[in-house]
Amino acid sequence: MPSPPMKPNPPMPFDRPAAPRRPDSPGPQPFHAMAKPVGATCNLDCTYCYYLSKENLLQGSGRMSDETLELFIKQYIEGVPGGSVVFSWQGGEPTLLGLAFFRKVIAFEKKHAKPGQRIENDLQTNGTLLDDEWCGFLKENRFLVGLSIDGPKEIHDRYRVTKGKKPTFDLVFAAAQRLQRHGVPFNTLTCVNRFNGRRPLDVYRFLRQELNSTYLQFIPIVEHKHFDRVAPQKWNPADLPKEGDPEARPGHPHSIVTDWSVDPEDWGYFLSKVFDRWLSRDLGTVMVNHFETLVAQHLGLPSQMCIYTQNCGRGVAVENDGSVYSCDHYVYPEYRLGYLQAKPLGELVASREQTKFGRAKSETLPQYCRQCAYLTDCWGECPKNRLIRTPDGEPGLNYLCRGFKQFFAHALPEIDRITTVLRREPLKPKPRM
């Protein structure tokens, strides 16, 4: 059997690694901060984007000042234990800030780096503004790029459009080719939504054969119908449908989710079909985030994705004004931890509020989940997706539950075979490019 994939690069921001220590272990613990230096400002108007609404919710957006930028870099470097720090730059669209901003990023990182410390940078982008100068900078400074692309042209352009509702596929595809010519390592981030959820092989074939992507990340689009104004876990539990109700799927007039959210059964179908193609053709050469972390977890290693950890809370979001939030999916006033200007980042992450937030992931799991055969594979996935009630009415069930069960039942026999081989012939991870 070919060797299964090992991650050649640190996780991208949306795959925040789990802290390797227990929550109650002494001393500073690792954490990850996702920086939003341009807030929700973006040159695109993607239908399913959960972040564009932050411009209204947070009463404006804008550019991170040089003072806040340096303060963030200094505090992040001081707060993260160990010999390396990974900076993750997102938005909105961070390239709107221009190269001058990111040259300051590099200068501040060099200024505040500890002796012998390794500083790394990730950039999540829609790719539409990447030119040769940008790619040269990214290559020179060893950035790892996350490129958002949802599949071939007809699929990608369904939701990913400009402010003028014009398609963006050609620009993004050209950006991928430009990154490859310059030798800039990049991962593809594909949002699985109601439209492409039934076309897994079309998406996978495109990413592999036309884009030549070797690290594929799939993110299910799930948004509460009032996500633009109601924070996760602040909804009325009595209003949540039960598992199996028609309102627990998209398309119903009274659905709990937006119309573009992926159907739970389509999510299970998508993962299962992609898994079969990956297993038969790309095992050992291509990394897929959900499959890779499942292998790691069955080897007894920490999850490589925060959504599959028992507890969370070690990944925060830093907005352009220096405000810090419990998670990038929880950037709402109710989940604001404070400001960098008032309290150091490390203290905010270690605060009582954030510790409570992280532990709530496992403490609020319904009994239906605790009795599930796939509990340790899933741990209820992301809490922001716990939009429905169990068949007996207990709130807190993940909207994607039936899809995950479908995928786990399909994939775990092969995952166990892979881990058996790996235990006999362990692999060493490849170094970051």
Side-chain angles (χ1 to χ4, degrees):
M1 179 182 297
S3 300
M6 300 294 288
K7 191 180 292 289
N9 298 307
M12 288 299 291
F14 31 81
D15 286 351
R16 289 180 294 275
R21 304 185 190 181
R22 290 173 53 86
D24 56 355
S25 45
Q29 296 185 42
F31 66 91
H32 182 269
M34 182 189 297
K36 307 275 190 172
V38 73
T41 304
C42 189
N43 59 328
L44 300 191
D45 194 18
C46 301
T47 306
Y48 55 61
C49 182
Y50 71 96
Y51 221 78
L52 290 176
S53 60
K54 306 302 179 188
E55 286 193 278
N56 296 324
L57 187 69
L58 303 181
Q59 299 179 340
S61 193
R63 180 189 185 96
M64 181 178 280
S65 69
D66 290 352
E67 294 76 17
T68 301
L69 174 64
E70 183 170 12
L71 184 64
F72 164 62
I73 290 174
K74 180 176 183 291
Q75 290 185 6
Y76 192 24
I77 287 174
E78 290 175 346
V80 175
S84 67
V85 181
V86 178
F87 284 87
S88 299
W89 306 97
Q90 289 209 4
E93 177 48 46
T95 60
L96 286 170
L97 292 166
L99 279 170
F101 178 89
F102 282 93
R103 290 192 175 104
K104 291 177 184 176
V105 166
I106 298 300
F108 288 145
E109 289 174 349
K110 290 179 179 178
K111 176 180 176 181
H112 294 289
K114 301 172 186 176
Q117 191 175 48
R118 182 181 177 91
I119 304 293
E120 299 175 349
N121 288 279
D122 299 335
L123 178 73
Q124 180 60 40
T125 176
N126 60 43
T128 59
L129 301 179
L130 294 182
D131 56 17
D132 288 328
E133 186 179 10
W134 259 107
C135 291
F137 169 84
L138 296 171
K139 174 64 175 178
E140 179 184 357
N141 292 283
R142 301 182 64 255
F143 272 68
L144 172 63
V145 173
L147 185 67
S148 295
I149 189 164
D150 284 355
K153 185 177 179 64
E154 63 165 310
I155 292 177
H156 176 91
D157 286 339
R158 176 64 175 255
Y159 293 130
R160 300 192 64 82
V161 295
T162 68
K163 299 292 187 185
K165 304 305 178 184
K166 293 182 179 180
T168 62
F169 175 84
D170 292 340
L171 291 172
V172 181
F173 190 79
Q177 294 178 310
R178 191 170 288 116
L179 289 167
Q180 289 169 339
R181 287 199 303 271
H182 283 266
V184 179
F186 71 92
N187 302 338
T188 51
L189 170 61
T190 298
C191 293
V192 183
N193 50 66
R194 193 177 176 199
F195 181 63
N196 65 2
R198 295 298 298 178
R199 299 180 62 178
L201 296 185
D202 290 339
V203 171
Y204 190 77
R205 287 191 197 103
F206 166 77
L207 295 174
R208 288 291 302 118
Q209 297 175 14
E210 297 187 45
L211 210 61
N212 196 31
S213 176
T214 57
Y215 196 127
L216 287 64
Q217 305 197 48
F218 295 110
I219 307 297
I221 295 296
V222 178
E223 297 299 342
H224 185 275
K225 60 183 177 181
H226 299 312
F227 75 95
D228 56 337
R229 59 185 185 272
V230 179
Q233 278 74 56
K234 301 302 179 181
W235 44 68
N236 184 352
D239 294 337
L240 304 180
K242 291 182 181 180
E243 163 70 1
D245 288 350
E247 296 88 349
R249 303 177 75 167
H252 190 276
H254 302 292
S255 175
I256 194 64
V257 296
T258 58
D259 195 52
W260 54 82
S261 294
V262 65
D263 185 273
E265 292 187 6
D266 288 352
W267 176 238
Y269 173 79
F270 187 98
L271 287 179
S272 297
K273 288 295 185 182
V274 170
F275 180 82
D276 289 346
R277 181 58 61 98
W278 169 82
L279 187 68
S280 65
R281 299 190 179 190
D282 294 326
L283 179 64
T285 59
V286 174
M287 281 64 73
V288 179
N289 57 345
H290 296 279
F291 311 158
E292 184 182 326
T293 192
L294 199 54
V295 171
Q297 289 165 236
H298 278 247
L299 285 170
L301 301 172
S303 169
Q304 297 182 8
M305 300 172 66
C306 64
I307 60 174
Y308 295 132
T309 59
Q310 183 174 0
N311 293 295
C312 57
R314 307 307 298 175
V316 298
V318 180
E319 263 287 339
N320 61 302
D321 61 353
S323 55
V324 182
Y325 296 83
S326 291
C327 169
D328 64 300
H329 284 286
Y330 284 75
V331 178
Y332 295 83
E334 297 94 326
Y335 292 98
R336 185 186 294 124
L337 297 172
Y339 290 84
L340 300 175
Q341 296 88 340
K343 183 176 289 188
L345 180 60
E347 291 186 23
L348 292 173
V349 176
S351 67
R352 180 178 300 177
E353 294 82 0
Q354 185 65 357
T355 300
K356 181 180 179 181
F357 171 84
R359 289 177 174 170
K361 180 179 182 182
S362 60
E363 292 175 354
T364 59
L365 272 177
Q367 194 63 28
Y368 183 82
C369 295
R370 298 178 190 278
Q371 296 173 345
C372 178
Y374 307 117
L375 172 63
T376 56
D377 298 307
C378 175
W379 288 112
E381 207 248 357
C382 184
K384 73 99 178 171
N385 291 336
R386 296 179 183 178
L387 300 172
I388 62 176
R389 292 180 290 154
T390 65
D392 61 1
E394 188 177 2
L397 184 62
N398 195 293
Y399 164 83
L400 295 171
C401 176
R402 65 167 61 191
F404 277 116
K405 284 183 174 180
Q406 177 184 340
F407 167 62
F408 291 141
H410 179 80
L412 284 181
E414 291 297 334
I415 292 293
D416 288 339
R417 293 188 186 96
I418 292 171
T419 56
T420 297
V421 172
L422 271 182
R423 288 190 179 96
R424 292 198 304 261
E425 303 172 7
L427 295 178
K428 295 181 180 180
K430 299 177 182 177
R432 178 187 173 108
M433 294 176 65

